[in-house]
Amino acid sequence: MKSVTILGVTGSIGQSALRFLRLHRDKFSLDHISVGCNAEQAVAIAREFNCQSLGVADEACDIDLPDGVKLYRGAQALCEQAAQPVDVVLGAVSGSQGLPAILAAINAGNRVALANKESLVCGGTALLERARAKGVPIIPVDSEHSAMFQCLLAGKREEVHSIILTASGGPFREHSLEQLKSATAKAALNHPNWSMGPKNSLDSATLANKGLELIETCYFFDMAPEDVTVVIHPTSIFHSAVQYCDGSVIAQLGETDMAGAIGYGLSYPDRIETGLNPLDLTALGGLDFYPYDSVRFPAVDLARRAIHLGQSGTLMFNAANEIAGQAFLDGRIGFLDIARHIETALNKGGTKFKAGLDDIVRADAEAKSWCEDWIH
Ligand SMILES: NC(=O)c1ccc[n+]([C@@H]2O[C@H](COP(=O)([O-])OP(=O)(O)OC[C@H]3O[C@@H](n4cnc5c(N)ncnc54)[C@H](OP(=O)(O)O)[C@@H]3O)[C@@H](O)[C@H]2O)c1
């Protein structure tokens, strides 16, 4: 039996992970779970899976705890849960608030299955070096990075020519610049292929998600940003690919369901059933690819610039995106202002918030506060 912790168990990734775990009760035990404020649902999950402990960030909520389940409450609960000794921690909290917990998991020597890309975008190579020093593997769970990870098993690192990172294009793929000016939050949150939490859905509409994923790719696989090509692939069947020096492209394909990448992340190095249907290639009716349009969606080019600024640049990219994204959802700025804000933040503060891994949480908070002041 593999013991598992899920940080963010009530979210979109958390729920897909539960679907996978229900198929394999003989192989995995879900021992620890963590949520923000959704205590009622978390208690039901703790009951169903006989969890040992439950973490709730919200101090105020009422909790009718099942017998034998230990409760962690408050701001530290997430890190306390991450540090419980288990075989694998699934990091599925949204945003850079997940970073201290991923660090806590690594420091405790727990293997990490990482969906929470923002923690790597902020922590960068320093986070990966800490994991290496602790002997802790980090397995990517973003569907694109899980695909790359699998495709990279087909050759040697020095044989890699480039990586192909696919993007669905989001709900505004065919919108003109003029239409994007008046894009609403409701439309932005309505992703055509994936059911995701609100932040990830908005990031997919601006393609800031692809910017974050480009940064994640460069850190995870030690790639130069110029060697990662972003391609629009509307149906999201082709999850991503690696191009080798002999001209071969090794791709990973599958249904648009995160259970595949989550299952691989939790069961690696084995492959076990995920509940997904075998892919029927004849029913797909073709795979379409289009060039990425950096005029309507500048976030990917901004991410490339952030990588060249170093870790403080990628931390700032994330901070500006989180703050501007929330300001858009609150109706304080327009859709196109999100990328404008990221650009200004990189221009004015891209090298401002340098930090070592142990004060990265402070640097992230300062960068966000600086972005908030600027938007205000
Ligand atoms: N969704 C996808 O398909 C997808 C795909 C690839 C990568 N990702 C990445 O996976 C991560 C999670 O995305 P998501 O879409 O699953 O997000 P989500 O649906 O918004 O879920 C976030 C989860 O984090 C919990 N949470 C929030 N604040 C917390 C805190 N302070 N302490 C503990 N838990 C807290 C939430 O609990 P409450 O319910 O109590 O608020 C919820 O369980 C993101 O980094 C995203 O980029 C997502």
Side-chain angles (χ1 to χ4, degrees), residues 94-95 118 172 183-186 188-189 197-209 212 299 316-343 345 368 371-372 374-376:
S94 186
E118 297 89 344
F172 301 146
T184 63
K186 188 170 173 225
L189 295 182
K199 178 185 182 291
N200 216 40
S201 299
L202 173 60
D203 288 351
S204 298
T206 57
L207 271 88
N209 186 46
L212 293 168
M316 180 54 95
F317 180 95
N318 181 70
N321 180 53
E322 285 195 27
I323 296 299
Q326 192 56 53
F328 168 71
L329 293 178
D330 296 343
R332 290 189 282 146
I333 62 174
F335 183 80
L336 292 176
D337 294 330
I338 300 174
R340 273 193 210 115
H341 180 67
I342 298 173
E343 183 172 14
K368 283 183 178 164
C371 291
E372 189 62 71
W374 188 81
I375 280 203
H376 191 67

Side-chain angles (χ1 to χ4, degrees), residues 8 10-13 35-38 92 97 115 117-118 142 196-197 200:
T10 46
S12 159
I13 291 286
V35 299
C37 56
N38 199 342
Q97 63 173 340
K117 66 194 89 181
E118 297 89 344
D142 232 339
M196 304 181 287
N200 216 40

Side-chain angles (χ1 to χ4, degrees), residues 286-308:
L287 294 170
D288 294 340
F289 300 94
Y290 305 97
Y292 170 77
D293 178 354
S294 58
V295 174
R296 288 179 304 141
F297 300 103
V300 169
D301 284 357
L302 293 171
R304 286 188 209 280
R305 186 162 354 136
I307 297 165
H308 285 299

Side-chain angles (χ1 to χ4, degrees), residues 126-260:
L127 186 84
L128 296 172
E129 275 161 19
R130 174 70 58 86
R132 229 166 276 134
K134 289 275 178 188
V136 170
I138 303 187
I139 314 298
V141 166
D142 232 339
S143 59
E144 294 81 354
H145 302 78
S146 173
M148 294 167 197
F149 185 84
Q150 296 175 55
C151 298
L152 283 165
L153 298 176
K156 301 192 191 89
R157 179 62 186 81
E158 63 270 23
E159 294 165 352
V160 172
H161 172 271
S162 55
I163 286 185
I164 300 168
L165 169 61
T166 53
S168 71
F172 301 146
R173 181 170 57 87
E174 295 191 331
H175 277 40
S176 65
L177 258 184
E178 205 48 39
Q179 287 172 304
L180 289 177
K181 268 186 203 160
S182 53
T184 63
K186 188 170 173 225
L189 295 182
N190 189 17
H191 197 280
N193 303 348
W194 299 95
S195 160
M196 304 181 287
K199 178 185 182 291
N200 216 40
S201 299
L202 173 60
D203 288 351
S204 298
T206 57
L207 271 88
N209 186 46
K210 224 32 72 178
L212 293 168
E213 289 178 5
L214 175 78
I215 297 169
E216 192 185 2
T217 304
C218 293
Y219 282 141
F220 244 132
F221 307 116
D222 193 19
M223 295 294 292
E226 294 70 27
D227 294 335
V228 182
T229 310
V230 175
V231 172
I232 300 295
H233 166 53
T235 50
S236 306
I237 297 291
F238 182 108
H239 290 156
S240 276
V242 174
Q243 176 126 30
Y244 283 93
C245 59
D246 60 356
S248 298
V249 174
I250 309 288
Q252 191 262 343
L253 283 72
E255 274 193 57
T256 53
D257 188 318
M258 286 304 295

